Amino acid sequence: MENKFKKITSLWIITVLILFVVAIILGLLMRFNQGGNIKLDPVTFYTDMTIHGLTMIGIWFVAGMAAVNYIMERYVRTSYKANLIAYIMTVVGVLMLWGAGFIGKFHAGWTFLYPLPFKIMWEQWATPLFLYALLVLGVGWTIWTVSLMISLLKKYTLSQVFAWQHFKRDAKPEVETPPFVLISMISLVGVLSCLITAAALDFLLLTEYYSNGGFINDALLMKNLTYFFGHTLANEMLYLGLAVIYELFSEVSGRPKWKTSWYVAYAWNLTLFFVLFAFLHHMYMDFVQPETLQIIGQLASYLASIPSTGVTIFSILVAVYGTKINWNLANLMFFIGTAGWVSGGIGAVIDATISNNFLLHNTLWVPAHFHTYNALGNVLFSLGFFYWFSFQLKDGIIKDKHSMLKILLIVIGGIGFLAAFYFAGADSVARRYANYPEEMASGKFWATFGGTFATIYLLGIILFIGGILKRCFGFVFSRV
Amino acid sequence: MFRLCLFTSIVMLTILPAQSLFSQSLGDFREEINIYNTLYDAPLHLVGGADVSLHELAKDKPIILALVFSRCSGVCNPLVLELKENLRMLNLQQELPYSVLVLSFDPWDKIEDMQYMAERFNLTNEPDWYFGVTDSINQVINSVGFKPIWDEKKKQFDHDALLAGVSTKGKMTKKLLGLRNSKDLRMLVQSINKVFIPSYRLPTNTSIFTCFNYDPETGKIVPGTGLLIIIMPVLITWLTVIGIRMAVRKKTT
Amino acid sequence: MQSLLLYLFLILTVVSTSVFIYVYRSSIKAGDKDGGLTNVLTKRMWFILILFVVLAIFFSATVPKSPYFMFKDEIPSKSVNVTAGQYFFYMSYSAINPDAPTSEPIELGVNELVEFRVTSRDVTHTFAVYDENNQVVAQTQAMPGYVNNLRWKFEKPGTYKIFCLEYCGAGHHIMRGSFTVK
Ligand code: HEM
Ligand SMILES: [Cu+2]
C-alpha cells in the first residue's frame, strides 16, 4: 500500500486522538461541575457541552471514515485528494466551531435545535460562524463520501455493491462482495442522506438568519430534520466501525476471512431501510407528530436491532466460541466494544418504547445509553483499528504491553462513568443541567461518582493511545 | 465535482420556496380562551317558535355554535355559508352527530331578523340547524370569550369570525377563529364528540400548509408537504448513487 | 416504574455481558483442534426468532400505553393553559397571551382529569411534571406555534413540580414551576 495513504491515515489518527483527550477533559469539567466539585458559570458549562458533543460526534465519524478509506484501498483505488480535502476541511471546520464556542460563547447544544441559534445569547458573529463551520464540515465530508462511493461503484455494479447476488441461499456468484464492501457502501449511503439533510437544515437556518425576519422556519419540521441528521449520523458512525470489524476481526485473530452469506446480505440491506425511520423516536414527546409516525418510530427502533444483533453480534460470538484465537489488544477492543454496543442497545430499546420515553425522555438515561455505545462501543472499535494500524507502520506484528492494565482502566472507568448516568436517569435527573436543583440532589452524587470513574477511563485511554501516537508521529515525520 | 455542486444548489433552491410556505409566527392564542368552560345556560328563542335553554339544546346532540349578527356586512355571511358547505361536504352526521346553532350576539336583533337570515341561507327546513336570539347574550359571549366592539361610525360590530364547539354537557371544547377549512371544522366536530386531539397548530394568517395536514376523509393527520422535505434527502442520495454508477460505467466501457 | 426499567436494563446487561465473558473464556480454553459451534445457522435462526417474539410482545404491550391514547374518550373536567418561555412556566386556567403572559396558582383535584394545553412563546421547552418523590410522572414538549395537549389524572395529593427537559439556553436548569393537587 502506498505510503501516502499511511501518512494521511496517521494524520487522521493523531488529530482524532488529540481532540478526543481534549473533549474528554471538557466532559470531566461538566461532570465535576454538576457534582459541585468545581464551579463553572452556566454559559461556560453549556459552551463546553456544545463543543464536547460536536467534537465527539465529528471525530468518531471521521475516525470511521478514515479507517474505511484505508482498508478500502485493498479492494479499489480511492482518491487521495478527496481524503486530503476532507482532512483540511475538517480541521478548518473544527477550528471554526471552537472559535464560535470558546471565543463566541455559542451554546445551543450539539443539536442546535431551532430556533435556539437565533435567540442570540452570545457574540453576534458566533451564530453565522457556527453555521458556516457546519457548512465547511458538511462539504468536506460530502466530497469524501461521494468519492468513496465512486471508487466502489467503478468496480462493483449496483447489485454487487449491495450484495444482491448473495440473496439466494446457495448462491455461488462469480463476483463475491466482501462484507466490508457491502457494509461500507450501506453506511456511505446513510451518511450521504445525513449530510444532505444537514445541508438543507443549514441552508434553512442561514436563510432565516439573513432574511431579517422575512423568512421564518417551522419548528416541527426543523426538529424532524435535526434528528434525522443527528440520530442517523450517530448510527452510521457505528456502522462504519462495524465494517472495519468484519474485515479485521478474523485477520488479527488469525482466523479465516469472513464471507458474505445470504443472511448477512439480507440483514444489511434491511438495515439500510430501518435506519431511516429510527430517528422518529426523538419526536415521541411532540404530540403534534402524527401517531402513525410515532408508532412507526417504535417499530423501526425495535426492528433495527434484529438484523444487527442477529447477524453481527451472533457472528462475532460464533467466531470466538470454543475457537483458539490470537488475542491481542486490537481484537480485544473489537470484542469488548461489541459487548458495550449490546448494552447500549438494550438501554436504547428501553428508551425507544413510547410509554417508557414518557418518563425517561431527556433525563440522563439518554446520555447514558448513547455514551455506552460510544465510549464503550464505537470508540473501542476505532481504537482497535488505530492500534492495529499503528503496527502496520512497522512490521505488522502486534506487540502488546500492559494490556491487562489498559483494559481494566478503560472498562472499569467506563462502567462506573456510565452507571452514574443510568442510575441518575432512572431517578429522573435531567440531562443538560449545569447545576442540579435540590429536587435532583441525587444527580450531584452521581456526577461526582461518574466524573471520578471517567478520570480512570481517561487514564486508560492515555496509556492506550501513547504507543499509537508515538508510532503515528514517527511515521508522519519519517522520510518514507 | 462542479456538477455535483450545481446539482445540490438546484435542490436547495427547490427546498427554499417549499419551506417558505411553512412560515409562521407564534400563532393566535385567542383560540385558547375559555376552553372547557361551561357556557352560560342561556334561554334561547329559536326560529320556529321553540324556547329551550342552551344546555337543553346541547343535551341531544352537541352543538356547533356560530356567533353572528344580522346586519353584518363583513365576515358573518361567508362564515355561515362556508359552514353550511363544509358540513355538507364532510357529511359527518352519522358518525359524529351535531347540531348547528346560529346565535345573534346583537342585542337589537329580533327573532324575525334571524328568521330572515335562515331564509336567505335557505336553511329554514334543514334539520339540525337552529337560528335564534337570547336575552342573555352578554353572559353567553363572556363565557365564550368573544368580544365584539360596536363601531359607531360604520354602524357595525368589529368582531372575529368564530365557531365554538359545545359538548352535550354544555362545555366549550374547541374554538375556531377566522374562516377555516373543512379539516379544522372536522377537528371541532370531533372534539364535541369527545375525541381526544393530542395536538394542533394555532392559526396564523400565513399558515396554509403544515408539516402534517389533517385529512378530512379519514380524520387522521396525514403527512403533508413537510414530510416530503424529509424524504427528499433520501431520494437525492439514491439518485446520486445511481447517477454515479451510470457515469462511471460509461467511462469504463 | 423508572426503577423497574433500571432493573430490567441491569438484568439484561448482566446477562448479555456474561454471554460475552463465557464465550471469551471458551476461546481461551480451546485447543488448536477445537472447531467452535456446530449447527450455527439453526441456532442463529432460533435466536432471531426468540428475539423477534420477545420484541413483538413488548411492542404490543407498550403501544396502547402511549400518552396519545390516554383518557381518549373523556372530556377533561379542568384545563390548564401552559406557556413556556425562557426561563419561566406561565400557568393559568384561562388562555395566556404570549406577549403579556400572566400566571396564577393552579390547584387540581385528586383523580380529576386535567388537560394541560402546552405551548411556547420562544424556543422549544418541555413541560415535565415531577411528583413529591421527584420522579417524572408525565411530560410533553412545548413547541412554538403548536399546542400539545397532555391529559392526566393525579392519584396522590401534594405539590407537584415542573421542570424543563429540553435544552433552551443558559437558564435551562433554573426553569421551574409547581402546582398542587388536593
Ligand atoms: C469519558 C469520556 C466522556 C465524558 C466524561 C463525557 C461527559 C459528558 C457529559 C457530562 C455530557 C453532558 C451530559 C448532560 O446532558 O448532562 C456529555 C454529553 C455528550 N457527550 Fe460525552 N462524555 C464522554 C465521552 C463521549 C464520547 C466518546 C462521545 C462520542 C460520541 C460523547 C458524545 C457526547 C454527546 C453527543 C453529548 C451531548 C451534548 C449535548 O447534549 O449537546 N461523549 N458528555
Ligand atoms: Cu429548558
Side-chain angles (χ1 to χ4, degrees):
Chain A
M1 194 164 306
E2 283 186 65
N3 275 332
K4 65 179 178 183
F5 274 103
K6 287 190 177 166
K7 273 210 173 144
I8 185 95
T9 309
S10 307
L11 218 53
W12 276 117
I13 292 176
I14 293 168
T15 313
V16 165
L17 290 179
I18 291 174
L19 293 181
F20 184 36
V21 172
V22 175
I24 292 184
I25 292 171
L26 290 178
L28 289 176
L29 287 177
M30 280 192 277
R31 226 50 192 119
F32 285 127
N33 185 64
Q34 290 171 327
N37 315 89
I38 58 169
K39 207 155 171 37
L40 306 175
D41 68 293
V43 171
T44 310
F45 177 92
Y46 290 118
T47 311
D48 285 0
M49 181 185 87
T50 305
I51 296 180
H52 167 84
L54 280 165
T55 308
M56 286 291 197
I57 295 288
I59 59 178
W60 295 112
F61 169 69
V62 295
M65 288 288 283
V68 161
N69 194 154
Y70 180 77
I71 292 174
M72 205 183 280
E73 271 287 307
R74 293 177 166 189
Y75 298 102
V76 294
R77 289 203 46 84
T78 65
S79 158
Y80 175 74
K81 222 197 279 168
N83 197 332
L84 189 65
I85 292 175
Y87 180 79
I88 294 168
M89 292 183 86
T90 302
V91 171
V92 173
V94 167
L95 287 179
M96 286 166 76
L97 280 183
W98 283 24
F102 286 132
I103 305 171
K105 294 283 163 209
F106 182 87
H107 55 271
W110 95 269
T111 44
F112 49 96
L113 186 62
Y114 176 84
L116 255 187
F118 297 131
K119 299 284 171 213
I120 308 241
M121 301 172 274
W122 38 76
E123 299 290 340
Q124 200 71 39
W125 48 264
T127 294
L129 182 64
F130 178 83
L131 296 178
Y132 283 116
L134 293 182
L135 197 66
V136 171
L137 292 174
V139 170
W141 296 348
T142 305
I143 293 174
W144 199 7
T145 308
V146 170
S147 121
L148 289 181
M149 281 180 167
I150 293 176
S151 306
L152 284 175
L153 289 172
K154 269 188 190 154
K155 173 157 171 195
Y156 300 95
T157 66
L158 278 182
S159 61
Q160 285 165 353
V161 85
F162 293 110
W164 293 341
Q165 79 277 30
H166 288 278
F167 278 174
K168 271 221 206 89
R169 230 187 129 128
D170 305 306
K172 297 239 165 16
E174 280 172 39
V175 181
E176 283 203 24
T177 308
F180 171 79
V181 168
L182 167 68
I183 301 167
S184 298
M185 186 62 191
I186 285 187
S187 312
L188 291 174
V189 169
V191 166
L192 188 60
S193 302
C194 291
L195 293 176
I196 293 172
T197 312
L201 189 64
D202 204 27
F203 183 73
L204 293 171
L205 289 170
L206 279 168
T207 311
E208 177 165 339
Y209 182 78
Y210 286 114
S211 77
N212 287 322
F215 175 81
I216 297 171
N217 284 292
D218 176 85
L220 180 65
L221 178 69
M222 293 302 264
K223 191 169 180 187
N224 272 290
L225 288 175
T226 300
Y227 281 102
F228 181 81
F229 147 71
H231 174 88
T232 315
L233 186 70
N235 230 308
E236 301 297 344
M237 276 159 51
L238 195 86
Y239 294 159
L240 291 172
L242 290 179
V244 173
I245 291 192
Y246 270 80
E247 176 78 12
L248 287 186
F249 190 82
S250 53
E251 188 174 320
V252 292
S253 308
R255 305 285 310 161
K257 203 167 174 123
W258 293 3
K259 290 215 167 106
T260 303
S261 54
W262 61 273
Y263 45 83
V264 167
Y266 270 118
W268 280 99
N269 275 280
L270 280 177
T271 305
L272 187 65
F273 181 71
F274 289 143
V275 72
L276 297 177
F277 299 98
F279 86 95
L280 290 165
H281 59 225
H282 287 268
M283 309 295 295
Y284 288 162
M285 289 305 114
D286 291 282
F287 293 6
V288 65
Q289 184 98 333
E291 285 154 19
T292 341
L293 286 186
Q294 307 285 27
I295 292 167
I296 291 177
Q298 180 167 340
L299 198 63
S301 306
Y302 278 28
L303 288 180
S305 71
I306 290 181
S308 50
T309 43
V311 173
T312 306
I313 292 158
F314 209 87
S315 298
I316 288 172
L317 289 175
V318 168
V320 172
Y321 181 79
T323 313
K324 194 166 157 50
I325 276 185
N326 311 328
W327 286 106
N328 52 45
L329 270 179
N331 54 13
L332 271 172
M333 283 288 138
F334 293 153
F335 193 72
I336 298 170
T338 312
W341 172 36
V342 176
S343 310
I346 295 169
V349 166
I350 289 177
D351 195 24
T353 306
I354 301 170
S355 57
N356 299 340
N357 190 265
F358 192 50
L359 304 173
L360 297 176
H361 185 75
N362 279 350
T363 64
L364 282 177
W365 190 278
V366 179
H369 84 263
F370 74 70
H371 278 95
T372 312
Y373 50 64
N374 283 306
L376 280 189
N378 191 29
V379 167
L380 303 194
F381 296 164
S382 285
L383 287 181
F385 167 78
F386 293 175
Y387 190 72
W388 168 84
F389 171 83
S390 70
F391 287 101
Q392 300 300 304
L393 299 175
K394 300 196 140 176
D395 49 8
I397 298 164
I398 297 178
K399 295 183 209 76
D400 291 337
K401 267 191 228 148
H402 311 301
S403 41
M404 196 60 183
L405 177 68
K406 291 171 185 171
I407 286 183
L408 276 182
L409 287 178
I410 291 178
V411 170
I412 291 177
I415 290 177
F417 162 62
L418 296 168
F421 274 148
Y422 282 106
F423 278 85
D427 201 18
S428 294
V429 178
R431 78 181 279 203
R432 294 173 156 177
Y433 267 29
N435 299 296
Y436 295 120
E438 60 180 302
E439 286 83 356
M440 300 178 193
S442 75
K444 266 189 146 154
F445 164 76
W446 287 115
T448 311
F449 183 94
T452 311
F453 276 89
T455 315
I456 299 175
Y457 177 87
L458 176 62
L459 217 67
I461 292 290
I462 290 177
L463 281 184
F464 188 88
I465 66 179
I468 300 176
L469 281 176
K470 210 169 87 196
R471 288 183 287 272
C472 286
F473 264 119
F475 188 79
V476 169
F477 293 109
S478 69
R479 294 170 143 271
V480 280
Chain B
M1 204 48 63
F2 171 74
R3 263 201 298 190
L4 184 74
C5 295
L6 190 72
F7 181 54
T8 1
S9 32
I10 290 172
V11 168
M12 291 299 137
L13 286 178
T14 49
I15 291 180
L16 183 60
Q19 172 70 0
S20 64
L21 296 173
F22 292 75
S23 303
Q24 60 161 67
S25 58
L26 285 178
D28 199 329
F29 82 102
R30 287 175 307 158
E31 210 175 271
E32 293 294 289
I33 291 174
N34 289 1
I35 295 292
Y36 293 131
N37 268 14
T38 304
L39 292 189
Y40 182 75
D41 190 14
L44 307 171
H45 310 293
L46 299 180
V47 170
D51 282 354
V52 288
S53 81
L54 182 63
H55 289 197
E56 276 168 41
L57 184 64
K59 220 180 251 159
D60 290 345
K61 281 181 184 176
I63 297 178
I64 304 169
L65 173 65
L67 289 167
V68 299
F69 74 111
S70 66
R71 289 165 297 163
C72 182
S73 61
V75 76
C76 290
N77 286 333
L79 177 72
V80 177
L81 214 62
E82 270 200 10
L83 180 62
K84 179 182 155 189
E85 289 308 311
N86 281 335
L87 285 176
R88 188 165 291 165
M89 193 191 83
L90 287 172
N91 193 17
L92 294 169
Q93 195 59 268
Q94 298 302 318
E95 177 200 345
L96 301 163
Y98 59 85
S99 44
V100 184
L101 171 61
V102 183
L103 185 65
S104 166
F105 61 80
D106 181 351
W108 294 293
D109 266 340
K110 298 273 169 328
I111 188 88
E112 293 78 30
D113 298 316
M114 295 311 283
Q115 164 112 37
Y116 175 64
M117 194 176 191
E119 282 163 12
R120 249 191 318 153
F121 289 116
N122 207 0
L123 284 167
T124 17
N125 295 319
E126 192 79 12
D128 315 313
W129 278 76
Y130 303 96
F131 284 73
V133 294
T134 172
D135 298 330
S136 351
I137 190 62
N138 276 332
Q139 288 93 321
V140 174
I141 60 177
N142 275 340
S143 66
V144 172
F146 177 66
K147 288 202 184 73
I149 295 165
W150 179 250
D151 186 331
E152 191 53 54
K153 249 198 249 135
K154 292 188 198 151
K155 300 279 177 214
Q156 285 279 313
F157 282 99
D158 184 5
H159 70 104
D160 294 309
L162 182 83
L163 296 178
V166 186
S167 76
T168 48
K169 295 258 164 62
K171 282 192 170 198
M172 181 167 64
T173 56
K174 175 109 189 99
K175 287 204 281 192
L176 294 177
L177 214 57
L179 294 175
R180 300 281 283 276
N181 57 23
S182 58
K183 297 169 184 182
D184 290 344
L185 183 61
R186 187 190 164 97
M187 194 155 40
L188 183 133
V189 178
Q190 283 179 315
S191 82
I192 54 181
N193 281 287
K194 301 189 184 178
V195 178
F196 177 38
I197 297 162
S199 179
Y200 50 88
R201 199 187 171 125
L202 291 171
T204 53
N205 303 334
T206 49
S207 63
I208 313 160
F209 290 91
T210 57
C211 194
F212 302 103
N213 293 331
Y214 203 80
D215 182 353
E217 297 299 318
T218 61
K220 289 271 187 291
I221 304 173
V222 296
T225 27
L227 198 64
L228 260 180
I229 296 192
I230 298 171
I231 292 171
M232 196 119 80
V234 180
L235 288 179
I236 299 173
T237 304
W238 281 100
L239 287 179
T240 315
V241 170
I242 294 168
I244 292 174
R245 176 60 198 164
M246 300 218 295
V248 296
R249 198 173 49 190
K250 253 194 220 128
K251 259 186 214 154
T252 46
T253 52
Chain C
M1 185 65 199
Q2 278 96 331
S3 44
L4 223 67
L5 296 177
L6 182 66
Y7 294 137
L8 178 68
F9 169 75
L10 290 176
I11 291 169
L12 291 177
T13 312
V14 167
V15 169
S16 81
T17 310
S18 310
V19 170
F20 274 85
I21 293 172
Y22 171 75
V23 167
Y24 174 72
R25 291 177 58 116
S26 79
S27 152
I28 297 289
K29 281 197 222 122
D32 282 335
K33 292 265 152 46
D34 288 346
L37 213 59
T38 51
N39 266 339
V40 177
L41 196 59
T42 326
K43 292 201 176 90
R44 188 189 301 265
M45 287 307 146
W46 274 109
F47 175 77
I48 291 181
L49 191 71
I50 291 169
L51 186 68
F52 186 81
V53 169
V54 168
L55 284 177
I57 293 172
F58 217 65
F59 182 82
S60 42
T62 56
V63 164
K65 293 197 185 130
S66 307
Y68 337 112
F69 308 125
M70 281 185 306
F71 315 110
K72 226 177 146 69
D73 306 320
E74 298 170 58
I75 286 198
S77 51
K78 245 195 209 126
S79 77
V80 176
N81 294 74
V82 180
T83 297
Q86 286 171 325
Y87 303 106
F88 294 97
F89 289 103
Y90 301 94
M91 280 193 273
S92 173
Y93 296 114
S94 45
I96 299 170
N97 179 351
D99 297 322
T102 50
S103 237
E104 62 185 308
I106 300 294
E107 202 179 288
L108 306 170
V110 172
N111 280 330
E112 169 185 52
L113 179 60
V114 265
E115 180 170 292
F116 294 98
R117 305 168 72 88
V118 183
T119 184
S120 162
R121 62 194 287 253
D122 40 45
V123 299
T124 300
H125 302 271
T126 301
F127 175 78
V129 181
Y130 279 66
D131 67 9
E132 292 212 313
N133 301 322
N134 301 320
Q135 300 293 304
V136 175
V137 288
Q139 64 171 307
T140 189
Q141 293 270 14
M143 193 179 252
Y146 291 90
V147 178
N148 285 336
N149 292 333
L150 171 67
R151 289 186 172 187
W152 198 252
K153 281 182 185 167
F154 294 94
E155 283 160 11
K156 289 197 197 112
T159 306
Y160 287 76
K161 305 273 168 63
I162 315 295
F163 289 101
C164 178
L165 291 184
E166 189 66 57
Y167 176 63
C168 56
H172 172 50
H173 58 285
I174 58 168
M175 209 169 146
R176 59 189 299 151
S178 71
F179 59 83
T180 49
V181 173
K182 281 206 174 127

